Amino acid sequence: MNPAYVAFENEHRIAAGEITEVARAAKQLLDRRKDAAILVFNGQTSALVDIDFRGSVEDVLARLPKLAPPRDEEPAAPAAPRGPGRPKLGVVAREITLLPRHWDWLAQQKGGASVAIRKLIDEARRTSGDKDRTRSAQDAAYRFMTVMAGNRPHYEDAIRALFAHDRRRFATLIADWPDDIRDHAIKLAYGDQAD
């Protein structure tokens, strides 16, 4: 599994782990080298994380953005004494928009619309889980490579190989990239199963 956050200084990975660990390592490097150019990435999605590095390490940590839990984790329900009635299941009410024929079909389902929609979603997650994970991994690798390697040799061909599911060609095309960039791109794209 990829670390929660990863920091790079130019072509070198300088830290990986929880946001506080990564921010601390990045700030310490910036204190030693004022000209360091540091980028922090979400380890799962490769989205850039904006961190304000002004002030002391404690100042930086105090200003860290409040980040949502990783997508695979369910938020922990607050512990409350159990009362009468149905248990709280962490259900969140939101609005959805459907065509009349969809509402008609849902109304005929056993358990009502909510139960039918939950069943449909659970079934879709079961049947397309691997495909969804593969696509998320490709998207994360693409975002990371665009930022860190967009001007590297064979970048465009590597992106084509990534989305064509051609692991060997992908690895061959990025073989001459800096080690940390190459290794992180492979880990994002294929996890520990890289060829």
Side-chain angles (χ1 to χ4, degrees):
M1 181 162 182
N2 291 326
Y5 297 90
V6 180
F8 277 79
E9 194 266 327
N10 293 325
E11 59 193 39
H12 301 287
R13 186 171 110 161
I14 59 167
E18 294 305 316
I19 190 68
T20 53
E21 300 168 41
V22 171
R24 182 181 304 279
K27 174 61 176 160
Q28 289 169 344
L29 177 64
L30 281 167
D31 286 346
R32 288 191 309 274
R33 288 196 13 246
K34 301 291 184 206
D35 65 334
I38 295 175
L39 294 174
V40 178
F41 295 91
N42 176 304
Q44 306 302 312
T45 65
S46 294
L48 285 168
V49 179
D50 188 26
I51 297 176
D52 183 351
F53 286 110
R54 294 174 298 157
S56 68
V57 171
E58 291 73 27
D59 294 336
V60 171
L61 296 179
R63 284 192 306 266
L64 285 175
K66 302 297 180 233
L67 303 165
R71 285 190 290 175
D72 293 344
E73 294 179 16
E74 295 289 330
R82 178 86 206 267
R86 295 178 64 178
K88 297 225 182 252
L89 300 174
V91 175
V92 177
R94 293 192 183 151
E95 181 182 337
I96 63 169
T97 306
L98 300 174
L99 295 172
R101 68 176 181 267
H102 299 136
W103 286 115
D104 291 343
W105 182 85
L106 284 170
Q108 297 171 11
Q109 301 309 303
K110 184 177 179 181
S114 293
V115 170
I117 289 172
R118 285 195 295 269
K119 286 180 180 179
L120 289 169
I121 291 170
D122 288 341
E123 180 61 26
R125 288 179 69 188
R126 269 192 298 279
T127 59
S128 66
D130 288 341
K131 228 193 262 189
D132 292 343
R133 280 187 290 280
T134 297
R135 183 58 186 207
S136 292
Q138 288 172 328
D139 290 345
Y142 170 75
R143 278 191 288 280
F144 173 76
M145 291 167 57
T146 298
V147 172
M148 296 299 295
N151 61 348
R152 300 262 171 211
H154 312 296
Y155 163 78
E156 290 180 6
D157 289 333
I159 294 296
R160 286 186 195 97
L162 171 70
F163 285 106
H165 307 285
D166 190 342
R167 293 180 186 194
R168 289 185 203 276
R169 180 159 169 71
F170 178 78
T172 299
L173 289 165
I174 68 173
D176 292 333
W177 289 4
D179 294 349
D180 290 345
I181 292 174
R182 178 197 63 228
D183 294 346
H184 191 66
I186 290 172
K187 185 169 185 168
L188 284 169
Y190 304 113
D192 296 326
Q193 307 161 19
D195 288 342

